[in-house]
Amino acid sequence: MRASGVGEGQPEDGPRRTGKEQEGKPAAPPAAGASPGRSAGAGKPAPARVRSGPLTRLREAGRTALGGGPPPGPARPEFWRSPLRGPWLTAVFGLVLLFGITVLFVTGLLSYAAYNPDLAAVNDQTPDKGWLGFYLFSWPTSPYWLYRLTQGVHVTLGIVLVPVLLAKLWSVIPKLFEWPPVRSVSHALERLSLLLLVGGAGFEFVTGILNVQLHYVFPGSFYTLHFYGAWVFIGAFVVHVTFRLPRALRAVRERPGEPAAGTEEAVGLVSPRPAAPTISRRGALAMVGLGSVALLVVTAGQSIGGWWRRTALLAPHGRDPGSGPNGFQINKTAASVGIRPSDVGPAWRLTVRGPGRQVDLTYEQLLAMPQHESALPIACVEGWSTPDQRWGGVRLTDLAALVGLGVNTPEALVESVQRGGSFSSAVLSEHQVRDSRSLLAVRVNGATLSADHGYPARAIIAGAPGVHNTKWVTRLTFGEPA
């Protein structure tokens, strides 16, 4: 056998030859200005190659790789075979999320405002919020069910949107691997916003669901992480909607049939080599919708309360103290926050402070004061709430009168004897204290409070989040800085 390529005019398979050796012709005369005796084709390598360093070779390798097409795997369009992906399905999921996430963000802002974080440091779980709290207002006490409604919608809708979010990410996942990764400065900014959008969505939904389940495996405070994460996510969301909404509306107005692969509308969405379909696009949309309906059925009951709570399979369990007058949902048990029998036994005292005055009341003296009733629910940030419970106790305004305060009762700091957990104290605004339905309760539904519901006394405030209905109260301070 002959050596491959040798003597057959295939220099790539054998040693390179000079022009003289290949053509049998003398070398061309030196160019003007060249050194005598040196030919153009036979001499030292070009200076640029001689002086090329690692950085130059790396840049050349990068240009070669980018110019040579995407590497094998998900960066290649033909890797994605689903015939369902396309502008129409992506646009439908996107428009559903546009409405849903807008409602989630608004109700989330309202949830944050309900804590009255500008009122006192103990109410603010997100320090250094700066201008992010530009919209804050004093949370009202009427309608008394407002927080129950807004937080119930926030949590329930967040869970219901999970199948839609996953379907939307599935529909656009080829675009996350598009090649080359960066084509220009504007393209780099778009890719960065996409990273913040996808990462922010995952972070907000995951931390929110973990909070609903009372499963705090993430580092730091849920309130702080969720609050700042929401602003990062919504910023990327607004940028994305600004650029993509016109295209999404145009895609929805057209038929579900998709443009041909390779066209501008189909880039990154329509497979150039689709597999045979096993379900239609409308069928896929219906399947995602049924998933959301199923999550609604097993979630909404925790916000409705009563009998419907039995259907809330995704609600946190093990926090129901049983039947009877005290048989409704709680988050914190007395044992979980370090309440000892001696803390709430005969030695317990309620200290009421005002400007220059202090009164200490025993449990019997508190019971001897004028008693009133209010029908109010308990609604918590996790999305669960109770129906209206019939609370009995002393109005906060009557307790303020003990230390010389009249009808213009100022804000009040409410403190608990609990030793662990968050929200052991809260500051109530003036209108919360002055509302005739705001009580220091000692009974519920005609019975003495149980230990887990805050015996011997707890605050019950119209419209306030559950954590501001402080349990195991030991001190009320009116009109002094918290």
Side-chain angles (χ1 to χ4, degrees):
M1 294 180 63
R2 292 179 294 178
S4 175
V6 177
E8 295 186 5
Q10 299 182 22
E12 64 273 19
D13 294 329
R16 292 186 176 273
R17 304 176 186 273
T18 63
K20 181 177 179 179
E21 293 171 322
Q22 291 177 4
E23 303 293 338
K25 297 179 181 179
S35 301
R38 181 174 298 176
S39 66
K44 294 182 179 180
R49 293 188 178 180
V50 173
R51 293 196 300 266
S52 63
L55 185 59
T56 301
R57 289 195 297 270
L58 182 62
R59 280 198 295 262
E60 291 177 353
R63 283 195 293 266
T64 301
L66 292 176
R76 296 195 174 188
E78 59 270 17
F79 178 87
W80 306 98
R81 302 291 308 280
S82 174
L84 301 184
R85 289 190 179 94
W88 183 82
L89 192 63
T90 297
V92 171
F93 290 141
L95 291 176
V96 173
L97 288 175
L98 173 60
F99 171 78
I101 288 176
T102 301
V103 175
L104 281 181
F105 185 66
V106 171
T107 52
L109 294 181
L110 292 176
S111 177
Y112 181 58
Y115 285 77
N116 285 321
D118 277 348
L119 189 59
V122 296
N123 291 9
D124 190 2
Q125 298 296 306
T126 55
D128 302 323
K129 60 185 178 296
W131 58 267
L132 295 179
F134 70 93
Y135 72 95
L136 292 174
F137 57 95
S138 184
W139 189 252
T141 57
S142 294
Y144 70 88
W145 41 259
L146 180 60
Y147 186 76
R148 182 184 182 191
L149 172 66
T150 58
Q151 194 61 17
V153 169
H154 181 77
V155 172
T156 303
L157 181 60
I159 294 176
V160 166
L161 286 178
V162 168
V164 184
L165 177 67
L166 295 177
K168 176 64 160 58
L169 293 176
W170 170 86
S171 73
V172 299
I173 194 171
K175 296 184 73 65
L176 301 180
F177 295 92
E178 67 179 16
W179 194 267
V182 176
R183 295 192 296 267
S184 64
V185 174
S186 61
H187 185 246
L189 292 176
E190 181 185 0
R191 299 283 286 175
L192 178 61
S193 69
L194 188 62
L195 175 65
L196 294 175
L197 179 69
V198 175
F203 181 82
E204 287 299 290
F205 276 80
V206 169
T207 54
I209 291 172
L210 289 174
N211 179 64
V212 169
Q213 294 301 316
L214 306 174
H215 195 49
Y216 302 108
V217 296
F218 37 80
S221 167
F222 163 76
Y223 301 92
T224 304
L225 295 173
H226 206 66
F227 175 78
Y228 290 120
W231 280 107
V232 171
F233 167 64
I234 205 64
F237 182 73
V238 169
V239 171
H240 184 75
V241 169
T242 301
F243 286 102
R244 297 294 180 179
L245 183 58
R247 183 178 297 183
L249 293 174
R250 184 168 62 250
V252 170
R253 284 195 296 265
E254 298 172 355
R255 296 175 60 188
E258 303 295 354
T263 61
E264 182 181 355
E265 293 81 4
V267 171
L269 296 176
V270 179
S271 174
R273 193 163 60 90
T278 57
I279 189 175
S280 68
R281 292 185 179 89
R282 294 188 186 278
L285 191 62
M287 183 175 65
V288 173
L290 286 175
S292 291
V293 170
L295 288 176
L296 175 66
V297 170
V298 297
T299 302
Q302 71 167 347
S303 298
I304 299 173
W307 180 90
W308 291 101
R309 198 175 189 283
R310 302 176 188 175
T311 66
L313 302 181
L314 296 184
H317 294 279
R319 303 290 182 143
D320 192 330
S323 59
N326 282 271
F328 53 93
Q329 174 75 3
I330 58 173
N331 263 8
K332 296 184 292 188
T333 64
S336 69
V337 293
I339 302 296
R340 300 174 301 191
S342 59
D343 296 327
V344 294
W348 173 87
R349 295 292 184 272
L350 173 67
T351 299
V352 183
R353 293 176 176 173
R357 294 187 63 178
Q358 175 175 314
V359 174
D360 293 318
L361 299 174
T362 65
Y363 184 66
E364 290 72 20
Q365 289 173 325
L366 185 62
L367 293 179
M369 293 185 66
Q371 303 289 303
H372 301 271
E373 288 193 347
S374 297
L376 296 172
I378 297 290
C380 278
V381 69
E382 295 86 7
W384 66 262
S385 59
T386 72
D388 293 354
Q389 307 295 321
R390 187 163 51 88
W391 304 94
V394 181
R395 286 176 176 163
L396 296 184
T397 50
D398 290 344
L399 290 168
L402 295 178
V403 289
L405 296 171
V407 292
N408 295 323
T409 310
E411 63 191 39
L413 170 64
V414 186
E415 298 177 82
S416 171
V417 297
Q418 75 177 65
R419 290 178 172 79
S422 57
F423 294 101
S424 61
S425 59
V427 173
L428 306 176
S429 65
E430 295 175 355
H431 63 272
Q432 287 177 321
V433 174
R434 296 172 188 175
D435 192 297
S436 61
R437 295 166 294 185
S438 295
L439 304 176
L440 187 68
V442 293
R443 296 184 309 279
V444 62
N445 299 319
T448 301
L449 291 174
S450 67
D452 289 339
H453 276 299
Y455 176 86
R458 67 172 298 169
I460 292 296
I461 311 300
V467 291
H468 280 193
N469 289 261
T470 308
K471 296 192 285 187
W472 312 291
V473 174
T474 187
R475 184 179 295 110
L476 289 171
T477 304
F478 293 94
E480 295 181 5

